[in-house]
Amino acid sequence: MELDTSLISDDVDGADESLIKFRQNDNLCVIAIETIDSSFGVISSCNSEVKKLLGYSQKELIGSKVNKIMPKIFNDIHDKFIQKFIEKEDSATYPSEKVVFAMHKDGIIFETALYIKIIPHESKAFQIVGFMRAVKHVDRNPSIAFISMNSQTIEGVNQSFIDLINRPIDFTNISKENLTLSSFLPNFKFKFSMKPGDTFRTELTFSNSSDKLLELEEESQEPSRIVNLRIIEVRYFDSCPMAFFELY
């Protein structure tokens, strides 16, 4: 089922040039969700680009909650985000492009550029339409993960992070892995005083006694190396503070 993008006109009051330019991207993924009580946050339509960006077919997504394409830590609280957006948003679109994390069907997180627009609906409710495309880094390929600062457990990683730590972990069920930061960064612990931009040098280990992790003693790879860890962002989701960081 293709999204009827004719409903989304470039001539809406308040639409700026950056939004129009954003929409002209050939690889733009478009997803619409409902806001009525019985189907709040449910994907009502999407275009075929969801397969390329997220790994799902349109059939797999339509009728599902939109948090299906988000890191699992957001599952229980995303409806609250939508409700706050509805209550506070006073324009037809986001004022600017935002970078958020999405989750591929295989469980890997990745950065996406996002615009959101509110579309009048047949009923008193309305649709929220998101325009998404992958963020591409020209000069680097950052290894990104985020953790729960309360438990120090990893809640999501991107493909570059997996390549860096080289461990056979089922990231489609990462919450069940109970993968702690100390399992590969033994000398580092996140503190609540840390802020975006803070950078630290610490040891990254490649082997561990846990049977979940890849043993490399018989391989030629070094057992550890010194890396830089940079705090990207710290967010508070209800009572659960999350830290987004990269290793390089």
Side-chain angles (χ1 to χ4, degrees):
M1 179 179 179
E2 285 288 337
L3 179 71
D4 182 7
T5 52
S6 65
L7 295 175
I8 309 166
S9 170
D10 286 328
D11 298 325
V12 174
D13 291 340
D16 55 27
E17 292 183 3
S18 61
L19 173 57
I20 296 172
K21 182 178 180 180
F22 185 92
R23 288 188 50 199
Q24 290 174 343
N25 186 290
D26 290 339
N27 299 317
L28 204 60
C29 174
V30 185
I31 296 176
I33 64 172
E34 297 291 346
T35 59
I36 56 176
D37 292 339
S38 60
S39 56
F40 192 86
V42 171
I43 297 173
S44 57
S45 54
C46 57
N47 68 354
S48 59
E49 290 294 327
V50 295
K51 183 68 174 179
K52 297 177 184 178
L53 186 67
L54 300 165
Y56 291 100
S57 67
Q58 292 168 278
K59 185 178 180 180
E60 289 176 299
L61 285 185
I62 294 173
S64 300
K65 295 279 285 188
V66 70
N67 57 21
K68 185 174 185 175
I69 62 172
M70 297 174 184
K72 295 185 184 301
I73 190 66
F74 303 145
N75 281 3
D76 295 332
I77 56 178
H78 190 260
D79 281 358
K80 295 180 181 179
F81 291 165
I82 299 175
Q83 190 61 49
K84 288 181 179 179
F85 175 81
I86 293 171
E87 292 172 354
K88 295 182 179 180
E89 189 63 32
D90 57 3
S91 63
T93 61
Y94 266 151
S96 62
E97 177 180 327
K98 293 182 179 289
V99 175
V100 299
F101 287 97
M103 188 175 71
H104 193 273
K105 184 179 180 179
D106 61 12
I108 305 301
I109 67 168
F110 61 99
E111 293 176 285
T112 62
L114 173 68
Y115 259 106
I116 288 181
K117 188 170 185 179
I118 294 178
I119 304 295
H121 201 268
E122 297 174 353
S123 64
K124 293 181 180 179
F126 46 82
Q127 286 185 319
I128 296 177
V129 180
F131 302 83
M132 303 169 62
R133 56 178 170 80
V135 172
K136 297 180 180 179
H137 296 273
V138 177
D139 56 342
R140 62 192 182 95
N141 186 24
S143 301
I144 297 175
F146 60 96
I147 71 163
S148 164
M149 295 179 71
N150 289 338
S151 63
Q152 299 287 305
T153 54
I154 300 294
E155 299 289 347
V157 296
N158 69 354
Q159 184 61 55
S160 179
F161 191 92
I162 294 175
D163 295 340
L164 177 64
I165 67 173
N166 193 21
R167 293 177 174 175
I169 299 168
D170 180 9
F171 287 99
T172 60
N173 291 301
I174 193 168
S175 60
K176 296 181 180 180
E177 291 282 343
N178 194 29
L179 180 64
T180 61
L181 192 70
S182 61
S183 64
F184 55 90
L185 295 173
N187 302 318
F188 187 84
K189 183 176 181 178
F190 277 92
K191 299 178 181 179
F192 290 96
S193 59
M194 294 176 178
K195 58 185 183 300
D198 287 352
T199 303
F200 309 88
R201 288 182 64 78
T202 188
E203 180 185 19
L204 170 66
T205 60
F206 293 97
S207 62
N208 190 288
S209 59
S210 171
D211 57 7
K212 292 180 182 178
L213 306 179
L214 182 64
E215 298 291 349
L216 298 174
E217 283 80 359
E218 298 180 358
E219 300 184 16
S220 59
Q221 196 164 345
E222 58 186 339
S224 67
R225 59 182 282 199
I226 301 300
V227 296
N228 292 314
L229 184 152
R230 185 178 72 86
I231 310 297
I232 300 174
E233 188 174 1
V234 178
R235 298 182 186 177
Y236 288 83
F237 301 106
D238 289 345
S239 60
C240 181
M242 303 293 299
F244 297 74
F245 67 96
E246 68 170 319
L247 299 178
Y248 60 97

